[in-house]
Amino acid sequence: MNRRKAELLVRASPLWGSNGMAFGPDGRLYVAQFLAGQISAVDLATGDVEVVVPPDGPLHSPDDLAFDADGAMYVTDLVPGRVWRRDPAGDFVLVTDEITARPTASPASARGCSPTR
């Protein structure tokens, strides 16, 4: 009987499905994980990863994030078309649920030009 040997080459990434990233007021790198439905924070000094917004929270598909001067995190939740605000205490408030994707013209067609070959 011929058996094959499997060897682990790379550890699984705790940041799978990552999209937007921003540094938080605490100096950690926050990562919006679209596919995982969560947001994680990475301590760049130690490499430790902490899930700060778990998948069972209000977010469905966090796509991008940013912080304001007061330390609040703003998150775009792509699939339901929402923007959330998470205050420094961790409480969420819905900013809007009226985000929709609209087709946009390419820069050339927007100027009335056609692309050259």
Side-chain angles (χ1 to χ4, degrees), residues 6-94:
E7 180 180 351
L8 179 64
L9 300 176
V10 179
R11 284 185 334 155
S13 171
L15 299 173
W16 63 281
S18 301
N19 269 2
M21 295 180 247
F23 285 100
D26 59 0
R28 296 189 296 174
L29 180 65
Y30 286 74
V31 182
Q33 295 177 253
F34 178 81
L35 295 176
Q38 66 188 25
I39 295 176
S40 296
V42 180
D43 183 321
L44 299 182
T46 64
D48 292 340
V49 177
E50 176 189 0
V51 175
V52 293
V53 179
D56 61 350
L59 303 175
H60 296 270
S61 51
D63 184 55
D64 206 356
L65 53 91
F67 289 89
D68 69 12
D70 296 325
M73 177 194 307
Y74 289 83
V75 182
T76 55
D77 200 3
L78 189 62
V79 173
R82 298 179 180 146
V83 175
W84 293 92
R85 180 185 185 274
R86 180 180 183 254
D87 67 26
D91 297 319
F92 281 89
V93 173
L94 183 63

